[in-house]
Amino acid sequence: MSWIFLFFAGLFEIGWAIGLKYTDGFTRLVPTMLTVASMIVSLTLLGLALKALPVGTAYAVWTGIGTVGTALLGIWLLGEPATVIRLACIALIVCGIMGLKFAA
């Protein structure tokens, strides 16, 4: 169950990271409220996952999911560059996340 909590914590981390872009410097109320709510959910789920998982593993996986998801959504939604080297680095992060999962 801890890995499920961690997975969803990572998804909500993506939500708040992307949400920050849409808050326009916290000047737009609805995006700001959704972003803050996503932060709270993400941290709550991370805390639940930490009851059973090592902190180093959980934190690395949480930030890895957030990094990969945010980078991919940045490419898809915000028109950020999708260079070969950038995509290769994202793939390396995914390999690292998988390695941590298998090592735990």
Side-chain angles (χ1 to χ4, degrees), residues 75-95:
I75 291 167
W76 184 49
L77 293 175
L78 305 172
E80 295 175 0
T83 62
V84 172
I85 189 74
R86 190 166 189 211
L87 294 174
C89 290
I90 291 169
L92 288 172
I93 295 169
V94 171
C95 289

Side-chain angles (χ1 to χ4, degrees), residues 10 13-14 58-70 90 93-94 97:
E13 185 188 5
I14 297 165
Y59 185 75
V61 170
W62 178 67
T63 58
I65 292 169
T67 301
V68 168
T70 302
I90 291 169
I93 295 169
V94 171
I97 294 168

Side-chain angles (χ1 to χ4, degrees), residues 4 20 24 26 28 30 32 43 46 52 56 59 62 71 74 81 83 85 98:
I4 294 169
L20 283 172
D24 197 26
F26 299 106
R28 298 178 61 212
V30 173
T32 297
L43 288 172
L46 176 62
Y59 185 75
W62 178 67
T83 62
I85 189 74
M98 291 171 46

